[in-house]
């Protein structure tokens, strides 16, 4: 069962859970959840999800730190999708940090940072 944005936030106990909830938010077009879970230091003024994109699946390859006791963590993932009639994927190593006790997406890490 896919959950609403509020339920997704409540369940994000670690960086992996938040990554999964953000993927679900992209798939459902839940822009509010994407906005609320994006760290304000890196969040764009407007957050959107393209409704024409069909999300096909998320594979989490590796995680580093980011447990309940940690303040930051990293998730390496591949998200598969169809956009403009073509299949594609997004591979990223993402940085997550806690803010006021909640996990938030910070940014994609560069090659130098990984």
């Amino acid at each position: 069962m896919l959950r609403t944005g509020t339920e997704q936030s409540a369940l994000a106990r670690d960086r992996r859970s938040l990554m999964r909830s953000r993927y679900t938010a992209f798939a459902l077009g839940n822009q509010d959840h994407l906005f609320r879970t994006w760290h304000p230091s890196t969040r764009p003024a407007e957050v959107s999800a393209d409704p024409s994109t069909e999300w096909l699946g998320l594979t989490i390859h590796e995680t580093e730190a980011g447990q309940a006791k940690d303040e930051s963590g990293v998730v390496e993932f591949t998200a598969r999708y169809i956009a403009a009639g073509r299949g594609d994927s997004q591979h990223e190593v993402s940085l997550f940090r806690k803010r006021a006790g909640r996990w938030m997406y910070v940014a994609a890490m560069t090659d130098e940072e990984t």
Side-chain angles (χ1 to χ4, degrees):
M1 175 174 85
L2 297 176
R3 301 184 188 285
T4 66
T6 302
E7 292 165 328
Q8 290 167 342
S9 290
L11 296 175
R13 295 184 185 128
D14 57 34
R15 79 291 183 222
R16 180 187 294 258
S17 298
L18 182 58
M19 179 68 241
R20 290 177 195 248
S21 76
R22 285 179 57 82
Y23 171 83
T24 300
F26 273 106
L28 296 176
N30 187 342
Q31 297 171 123
D32 181 59
H33 182 68
L34 295 172
F35 185 87
R36 287 183 296 102
T37 59
W38 201 321
H39 198 283
S41 68
T42 58
R43 180 177 57 216
E46 291 187 33
V47 176
S48 63
D50 184 351
S52 67
T53 300
E54 179 184 354
W55 294 93
L56 304 174
L58 173 69
T59 302
I60 295 180
H61 302 290
E62 191 172 347
T63 60
E64 181 180 308
Q67 297 297 324
K69 65 181 178 357
D70 298 318
E71 291 299 314
S72 66
V74 174
V75 176
E76 179 181 2
F77 72 92
T78 301
R80 297 175 313 285
Y81 61 91
I82 296 174
R86 296 181 51 123
D88 205 349
S89 64
Q90 175 182 344
H91 176 259
E92 184 176 305
V93 178
S94 297
L95 176 62
F96 294 85
R97 285 199 182 117
K98 275 188 183 173
R99 182 171 192 263
R102 291 183 47 208
W103 283 102
M104 303 195 88
Y105 170 77
V106 177
M109 297 176 70
T110 63
D111 288 338
E112 294 83 34
E113 295 173 313
T114 58

